[in-house]
Amino acid sequence: MTPPPLHGLAAGGLAPPHSPDWTIDQGWAAYGPAEHATWKTLFERQSRLLPGRACDEFVQGMLDLPMSADEIPDFRRLSEVLSRRTGWQVVAVPGLVPDDVFFDHLAHRRFPAGNFIRSPQQLDYLEEPDVFHDVFGHVPMLMNPVIADFIQAYGQGGLRARQRGCLTQLARLYWYTVEFGLLQQSDGLRIYGAGIASSYTESQFCLDSPSPHRIRLDLERVMRTDYRIDDFQETYFVIRSLDELLQMAAIDFAPLYDRVTGLPALEPGTVLPQDDVLHRGDGRYHHRDGSPS
Ligand SMILES: [Fe+2]
């Protein structure tokens, strides 16, 4: 149920770097049968669930990648296909990496992916992004040229936001788009965020449950909105097309940061009068213990 934390941004107690950019060899040959079996369980479960739930671009990306239930993918083979399509590579890291290292990788079209896989006891719960979240959740969308450009722009913007002390605001945008974003397709709402796409339970909750709000994405609004790192989201923000992300990436965030940092943060379940609400959630999931909404 619990999504992995945002890459790089929740890092604490980090191990010393193995190399200046924190990359390591994936160590593909060292995966044992139990690790491949965990991948298979997760892959089969999720690839059965996602058609009709994930957006068309995600499903197509999955089909075009050398990725199957049989084994944990080899990052070199993934990167061959990915780099031909959008110029991205997948590089292995041992876990969460510092912000500046993470952003620098993205700015250079390298996606840092954890090389470890969760234990069979943690199928729906993990504290750090593992190979299933990073590869199954993120890499299919990196096959799309628009997302490929947006995530690179996020890396470039992250380095600037860090210097301005506005990382929190930018992290909220990443969270509610790249990790937990929904897309309005002509045939209904679809998942494009990796945090959802790699979660069996949240892939259902985000679309099926009457509990969460589903609100049209507004850049400034999202930059003010806190998020849940340890449970399903209370609000999902919906874009009309992937191009909307790229248009956002072209905006100068500096004046936005100045405005937003002067305003109070919004609780994850807040609905504002000016919100374009597609579905007003009843909050039954998060307030099932009777706590105030
Ligand atoms: Fe992620």
Side-chain angles (χ1 to χ4, degrees):
M1 155 188 323
T2 300
L6 190 57
H7 308 274
L9 301 180
L14 296 164
H18 297 245
S19 60
D21 67 0
W22 287 66
T23 58
I24 55 173
D25 187 82
Q26 184 189 0
W28 190 87
Y31 293 129
E35 290 164 309
H36 289 301
T38 299
W39 171 272
K40 183 181 174 71
T41 300
L42 291 164
F43 186 97
E44 287 183 339
R45 190 172 70 159
Q46 209 61 4
S47 44
R48 270 197 302 270
L49 181 64
L50 286 183
R53 290 180 178 273
C55 67
D56 294 342
E57 291 84 354
F58 185 97
V59 174
Q60 192 58 50
M62 259 183 69
L63 294 173
D64 291 347
L65 284 164
M67 192 159 67
S68 74
D70 297 340
E71 57 191 21
I72 296 171
D74 183 328
F75 292 179
R76 282 169 300 197
R77 292 192 55 225
L78 283 178
S79 294
E80 281 169 16
V81 175
L82 186 59
S83 63
R84 275 201 301 274
R85 183 70 65 89
T86 59
W88 275 79
Q89 297 174 61
V90 181
V91 294
V93 291
L96 292 166
V97 300
D99 299 332
D100 56 337
V101 173
F102 178 65
F103 292 135
D104 191 63
H105 279 303
L106 299 189
H108 292 90
R109 294 197 173 229
R110 294 187 299 262
F111 194 81
N115 72 333
F116 65 95
I117 192 156
R118 67 197 75 182
S119 74
Q121 292 76 38
Q122 290 180 304
L123 286 189
D124 296 313
Y125 183 92
L126 73 166
E127 292 175 350
E128 284 194 71
D130 70 343
V131 65
F132 186 74
H133 168 80
D134 282 337
V135 169
F136 185 95
H138 282 286
V139 179
M141 289 307 289
L142 284 171
M143 291 282 277
N144 179 272
V146 171
I147 293 288
D149 285 355
F150 177 69
I151 298 183
Q152 181 183 25
Y154 174 80
Q156 294 161 339
L159 295 169
R160 290 192 297 269
R162 190 166 172 267
Q163 285 164 355
R164 293 179 67 95
C166 299
L167 214 46
T168 302
Q169 286 72 30
L170 190 67
R172 290 172 180 148
L173 176 62
Y174 187 86
W175 188 268
Y176 282 119
T177 56
V178 175
E179 294 290 354
F180 292 93
L182 293 180
L183 169 68
Q184 177 81 61
Q185 281 192 182
S186 57
D187 52 354
L189 289 186
R190 294 288 183 269
I191 298 158
Y192 73 92
I196 308 175
S198 59
S199 164
Y200 183 70
T201 47
E202 193 148 5
S203 293
Q204 299 168 75
F205 177 83
C206 72
L207 296 176
D208 300 343
S209 172
S211 184
H213 307 306
R214 300 174 186 93
I215 297 174
R216 289 265 185 231
L217 185 139
D218 175 84
L219 181 55
E220 199 167 312
R221 158 64 151 110
V222 165
M223 282 189 174
R224 290 180 59 195
T225 310
D226 280 333
Y227 51 82
R228 288 180 169 267
I229 61 167
D230 59 350
D231 207 337
F232 296 143
Q233 301 307 301
E234 287 186 61
T235 301
Y236 297 92
F237 290 96
V238 179
I239 56 172
R240 290 185 175 87
S241 76
L242 294 177
D243 285 336
E244 210 175 303
L245 297 179
L246 209 49
Q247 288 158 14
M248 278 192 303
I251 294 172
D252 177 10
F253 283 4
L256 264 180
Y257 288 145
D258 289 342
R259 270 203 305 279
V260 170
T261 50
L263 297 169
L266 300 170
E267 292 292 317
T270 302
V271 176
L272 299 175
Q274 64 267 36
D275 283 338
D276 185 354
V277 180
L278 301 176
H279 167 83
R280 186 172 184 122
D282 62 17
R284 70 176 67 170
Y285 172 80
H286 291 95
H287 306 120
R288 60 197 183 281
D289 58 355
S291 59
S293 56

